[in-house]
Amino acid sequence: MKIATVPTGLLETNCYLVRPDDSRTLYVIDPGADARDIADRAAEFDYDRVAVLLTHAHVDHISGLGELCRLLRPAYVYLRGPDQAFYASPENSLPPYLPAAKDLPAVTGSTEDSDFKVIPLPGHTPGGSGFLFRGAPPALFVGDTIFAGSVGRTDLPGGDTATLLDSIRTQLLTLPDEVELYPGHGPATTVGRERKNNPYIRNSNYDQW
């Protein structure tokens, strides 16, 4: 599996380009800005079609999507249902720094691709998702649910701390330690590293962790 990371925009949101070894699809995850930079990195891959996967709908994860669609013409754009209303809302912005995204394409809440598994990760937003790709080791793209040494914020619209922690407990920490976690900001980490060292997990009073 080939993975490239493109930090984008004011908040340095990680956009990931992923092409599984046995697939002819290039997956673009969270094109937050700088669509031309993303397209330039895509030229380094060998693929037949493009698909876009959105871990959630916050503006810093989708603002490059409109231009990217003109450049790469993806077969589809996936976003889990609970975030779809907020996706195109004019209130989906971070004033004065990030205005609402423009020229957004229609999204789908389903996909027939078998290269990855969608893992629901509500908490940072209601429709937060992770995308688990098979490999050695497996790679899980988690958006803003968890970071290296931290967890996602829940003070933005739709956020809920208890839900976020439950997603981490039931969906992430049940995975093998070697699973690599690729967050929406900052460096990659692993399930095992976060289980052992993440202070938000160690101090959470979840004894079963």
Side-chain angles (χ1 to χ4, degrees):
M1 179 163 49
K2 183 177 179 180
I3 301 172
T5 306
V6 184
T8 65
L10 181 66
L11 300 183
E12 296 191 332
T13 301
N14 289 331
C15 174
Y16 296 104
L17 291 85
V18 183
R19 210 218 76 186
D21 291 337
D22 297 327
S23 176
R24 298 297 301 166
T25 299
L26 174 66
Y27 296 95
V28 179
I29 301 173
D30 290 357
D34 304 324
R36 292 192 177 275
D37 291 344
I38 297 169
D40 287 345
R41 291 301 299 271
E44 301 173 7
F45 289 74
D46 181 24
Y47 62 91
D48 293 331
R49 70 164 191 160
V50 173
V52 174
L53 308 178
L54 302 177
T55 63
H56 63 291
H58 280 156
V59 64
D60 62 313
H61 288 250
I62 66 172
S63 287
L65 180 55
E67 183 179 3
L68 187 74
C69 287
R70 293 191 293 272
L71 295 171
L72 296 184
R73 301 185 181 278
Y76 65 87
V77 177
Y78 174 86
L79 176 66
R80 207 161 63 85
D83 270 19
Q84 291 188 14
F86 187 59
Y87 165 75
S89 169
E91 296 182 2
N92 185 12
S93 63
L94 292 173
Y97 306 107
L98 295 178
K102 298 180 179 180
D103 302 322
L104 292 173
V107 295
T108 179
S110 61
T111 173
E112 296 181 358
D113 277 308
S114 58
D115 294 323
F116 64 93
K117 177 182 178 181
V118 179
I119 297 180
L121 295 174
H124 181 64
T125 66
S129 299
F131 304 109
L132 180 62
F133 287 80
R134 297 181 299 275
L140 177 57
F141 299 84
V142 294
D144 291 357
T145 298
I146 193 170
F147 306 107
S150 187
V151 297
R153 62 190 295 177
T154 56
D155 58 338
L156 298 172
D160 183 83
T161 300
T163 302
L164 179 80
L165 293 176
D166 189 65
S167 289
I168 294 171
R169 177 177 65 85
T170 63
Q171 301 291 355
L172 300 185
L173 296 185
T174 54
L175 297 171
D177 284 351
E178 64 269 21
V179 173
E180 295 183 334
L181 301 176
Y182 291 86
H185 306 269
T189 184
T190 67
V191 170
R193 190 176 301 136
E194 297 313 301
R195 189 195 314 276
K196 181 178 179 181
N197 298 319
N198 191 310
Y200 293 90
I201 293 174
R202 295 177 65 189
N203 298 331
S204 63
N205 295 321
Y206 279 103
D207 293 338
Q208 61 267 47
W209 290 13

